[in-house]
């Protein structure tokens, strides 16, 4: 989890007010540069500058952690939430928190956790479960969109017009999947890696098992 933890601690170490954002609402280049030490990307080598608007993976990490309610914008700053502060210093609690958010059936938080997790079951939940299954085998399913679309159609999913699921409906670059690419040793971290780390695979497996009780 060190990639996610490192980002949270970078924001937390800026002080109680968090990191002051630029006038355009982005993280300042100096902070982006520091984040990229723990959150590398193949695209960074061919991208000029270190603006968050150009470093797509850093922006997506921030958006993913915002969706997970671990960071938030407040008065021109990006700061940790209460839960962000808790899990930034406790990898085990961060692991459990991510498991509950990734659990594709979207059940509410268990009695053993106070993580604010509650989502209805929708197509995205079913898609996420298939993605997690692929990550659980340390494979990136980007080349398997047709198979995933066929599986979802066979499971009964249709749009409001009764149309079957197609490749265009299957997106693997969700913020949650992108986060999984930065879990594990730094040398294995990347934005949508070809092969996910053993730690990411273990997290995906636990999320799937949690979703099924």
């Amino acid at each position: 989890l060190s990639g996610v933890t490192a980002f949270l601690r970078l924001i937390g170490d800026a002080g109680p007010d968090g990191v002051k954002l630029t006038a355009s609402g982005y993280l300042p280049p100096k902070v982006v540069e520091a984040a990229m030490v723990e959150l590398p990307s193949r695209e960074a080598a061919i991208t000029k500058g270190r603006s968050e608007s150009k470093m797509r993976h850093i922006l997506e990490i921030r958006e993913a952690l915002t969706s997970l309610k671990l960071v938030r914008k407040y008065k021109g700053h990006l700061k940790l939430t209460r839960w962000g502060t808790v899990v930034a210093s406790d990898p085990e609690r961060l692991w459990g928190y991510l498991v509950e958010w990734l659990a594709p059936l979207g059940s509410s938080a268990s009695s053993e956790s106070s993580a604010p997790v509650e989502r209805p079951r929708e197509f995205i939940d079913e898609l996420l479960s298939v993605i997690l299954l692929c990550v659980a085998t340390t494979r990136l399913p980007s080349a398997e969109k047709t198979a995933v679309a066929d599986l979802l159609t066979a499971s009964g999913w249709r749009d409001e017009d009764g149309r079957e699921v197609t490749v265009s409906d299957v997106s693997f670059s969700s913020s949650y999947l992108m986060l999984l690419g930065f879990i594990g040793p730094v040398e294995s971290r990347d934005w949508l890696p070809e092969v996910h780390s053993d730690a990411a695979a273990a997290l995906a497996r636990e999320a799937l098992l949690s979703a099924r009780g």
Side-chain angles (χ1 to χ4, degrees):
L1 291 176
S2 51
V4 178
T5 298
F7 186 90
L8 293 174
R9 289 180 178 175
L10 179 64
I11 302 303
D13 288 346
D17 293 330
V19 174
K20 182 175 176 56
L21 301 173
T22 67
S24 300
Y26 293 111
L27 289 170
K30 184 178 294 187
V31 174
V32 173
E33 186 77 37
M36 288 175 59
V37 173
E38 295 288 342
L39 302 166
S41 170
R42 288 166 292 179
E43 287 196 344
I46 59 174
T47 303
K48 294 182 179 180
R50 288 296 180 259
S51 168
E52 189 186 23
S53 63
K54 296 179 179 179
M55 294 293 102
R56 182 179 170 188
H57 71 294
I58 298 296
L59 180 58
E60 288 196 5
I61 287 170
R62 194 229 297 197
E63 292 175 344
L65 295 177
T66 299
S67 297
L68 291 171
K69 303 185 186 302
L70 295 178
V71 300
R72 68 186 181 103
K73 288 199 295 186
Y74 182 71
K75 293 184 177 181
H77 290 70
L78 184 71
K79 61 183 298 182
L80 298 181
T81 63
R82 181 177 66 85
W83 265 100
T85 301
V86 169
V87 300
S89 60
D90 191 335
E92 289 188 8
R93 295 188 79 171
L94 176 58
W95 181 278
Y97 191 95
L98 291 178
V99 164
E100 292 201 35
W101 269 95
L102 288 169
L105 298 185
S107 58
S108 59
S110 69
S111 58
E112 296 181 355
S113 172
S114 300
V117 181
E118 188 171 353
R119 294 181 289 122
R121 178 183 171 86
E122 297 177 350
F123 172 77
I124 188 61
D125 294 304
E126 193 74 10
L127 175 60
L128 180 57
S129 69
V130 178
I131 290 174
L132 286 175
L133 181 60
C134 293
V135 174
T137 61
T138 69
R139 302 173 65 192
L140 179 68
S142 59
E144 302 175 9
K145 292 186 177 182
T146 299
V148 172
D150 290 344
L151 177 60
L152 293 172
T153 294
S155 298
W157 287 98
R158 302 288 190 281
D159 66 11
E160 59 184 12
D161 297 321
R163 183 178 62 88
E164 296 183 350
V165 180
T166 65
V167 170
S168 63
D169 299 315
V170 180
S171 171
F172 293 115
S173 56
S174 71
S175 58
Y176 297 137
L177 177 60
M178 196 279 302
L179 263 188
L180 288 172
F182 293 98
I183 291 175
V186 66
E187 62 272 13
S188 69
R189 299 174 202 157
D190 202 353
W191 182 54
L192 299 178
E194 293 182 2
V195 179
H196 283 77
S197 69
D198 290 341
L203 182 65
R205 286 193 294 272
E206 189 167 334
L208 288 167
L209 292 172
S210 174
R212 284 152 178 75

